[in-house]
Amino acid sequence: MAEAIFSRGRKAVCKLLEWEWWQLRDGGRRYITQRKVIRPSIVNKRSTDILHDPWYNKGTAFPLTERERLGLRGLLPPRVMSVQQQIDRFMANFRSLERNTRDGPQEVAALAKWRILNRLHDRNETLFYKILIDNIQQLAPIVYTPTVGLVCQNYSGLFRRPRGMYFSAADRGEMISMIYNWPAEQVDMIVVTDGSRILGLGDLGVQGIGIPVGKLDLYVAAAGINPQRVLPVMIDVGTNNQQLLDNPLYMGLHRPRLEGDEYMSVIDEFMEAAFTRYPDVIVQMEDFQSKWAFKLLQRYRRQYRMFNDDIQGTAGVALAGVLGAVRAQGRPMSDIAKQKIVIVGAGSAGLGVVAFMKQAVARVLGNNSPQVQNADNFWLVDKDGLVTLARENIDPEVKQYARSVHDGLQEGASLVEVVRHVRPDVLMGLSAVGGLFTQEVLEAMKLSDCPRPAIMPMSNPTSKAECTAEQAFKHVGPHIVFASGSPFQDVDLGDGKTGHVNQGNNMYLFPGIGLGALLSGAHQITDNMLHAAAECLAGVMDEESLKTGIIYPPIPEIRCITAKIAEAVVKAAVDEDVAEGYRQYDHRDLRVMAESGVLLNFVERHMWSPEYSSLVFEK
Ligand SMILES: NC(=O)C1=CN([C@@H]2O[C@H](COP(=O)(O)OP(=O)(O)OC[C@H]3O[C@@H](n4cnc5c(N)ncnc54)[C@H](O)[C@@H]3O)[C@@H](O)[C@H]2O)C=CC1
Ligand SMILES: CC(=O)C(=O)O
Ligand SMILES: [Mg+2]
């Protein structure tokens, strides 16, 4: 039991600092800092060294006093600009680039936008994140899906400066010392890939580094993780992509991927190195091909503070979307137990989703319910059609969701047959096959028993979406709920009506899972923490929005949604007794905060925001 709170108050301890205190019944007193303080940064460089350091550089915003102190006088145009003026100048450039590239090939325009953002990131990190946060809806499709996919495909040509760390099969035995080459004393978040399944684009080898970079940009923007404490990592164990192997300019190892124990030993060595130098770090595994994704998650999830975003983050966001779709039907969330859900794709994403949703149904009906045991709510379809118990050499991961052939459908039934027979409430795509929801499949969804069927083509990037928003509204009808992994424009349905497009992407969850895990100090990321995150996301939607078919919150609100999700994750960790505390707050402090309703405030106060701090030179 946590100590009971007797009274609370606030006390200013200096001009910049204020404490909130709680007097506990046992006579003790606990304090948390209440107001955010922008402390000056001590720098030991001057002049052009400052201008070339993206962390300290303020460009034209250096005030005259600092220009004097740091030897910058004369090195910048004379006018001191405000941050807002800097933002306006960048956005004016950005918009003119948009205008100038509008009529050319889309890919050229997308890469041009990525380039100017990346150059800003290289020059002035504070301004980059300020602009990203303020314009997240417009810029997320560039730093993240879909453009990040294109960037990865072209990375060997686009590469200018390294960002993050590279470990390769050639570094075996050296990783524990290599990790000390990273300049940061503390790292909170690592996103790591082996490049084997980048979005739905397949094996992109070392070029997959773009994904950890993009995901960590979202960690900074949405979760307020300090950019100096993030580390993108690429583990290059070779590639089986022949085009890359044939390209003399490819920057990764020119060798086929390691397999078996050799592969595992490389990943083991990296994990050991990462947690040896940074014992409190959280590792997010991203875009590992399914055959390794599950094995690695099983291997590490009890040993390290880690999660697999494609399996666990996606599952949470899909569950929140389905719960939203249930509410959009005018039913309570518990009616998830009555939904018929067809999931197309039985890889890391599809299997993660079905496992998590099965747990959600079990929370309603109980684990022992035959409906739960038999996974009766789900129909899993993969490249060989409907997965049934009659399948030969069936993978044990898949078998637990296989249907009985006595349900009226044969092993390997086609997607259209499945949709016609099942009349599902939800059709979800995680197949990485663009256009898989053909007109025939979508028209079959008209037979759905559901008043508001959900069509969720969640594969990324846009070219791999199972259908477009236009196609879904056109072929199924205006009454659907639509969510896609990559963004589409809302659809004009005529008569002043709009078909709303939701972005069903794990970007809504992973930042909150990571931040919540960090602030709870939990040494494992448990299923309860993940369910709390998904339920929180589902719960933030109001009835009015749901009625119009909006099942996820607006992207511009992602930072405040992430704070709420992190709060839910910390609370779940406290309730489950796995929270161990963060910095000066131990597990009892977290419990007190949870019980007195100030956890959200605690979370928000620990989120970094991009502000220029005063620079003080010290030799
Ligand atoms: N929206 C989101 O937040 C997320 C989306 N994804 C997307 O999910 C997709 C799949 O990812 P993974 O599961 O890791 O890939 P994977 O390659 O492991 O799995 C793909 C699955 O699709 C099946 N499939 C292939 N062709 C098919 C066909 N013609 N008909 C039916 N099924 C077919 C395969 O048999 C396999 O089961 C990717 O495009 C990825 O970008 C993944 C994570 C998050
Ligand atoms: C969104 C994501 O994680 C993926 O498509 O792999
Ligand atoms: Mg992914």
Side-chain angles (χ1 to χ4, degrees), residues 197 199-200 290 310 314 317 344-350 381-383 430-433 436 458-460 464 485 504-506:
R197 189 286 274 148
L199 305 177
S290 297
D310 298 297
T314 313
V317 104
V344 191
S348 64
V381 178
D382 72 0
K383 65 177 180 353
L430 288 158
S431 65
V433 181
L436 190 63
M458 287 177 66
S459 291
N460 297 313
K464 302 293 177 184
N505 191 293
N506 51 28

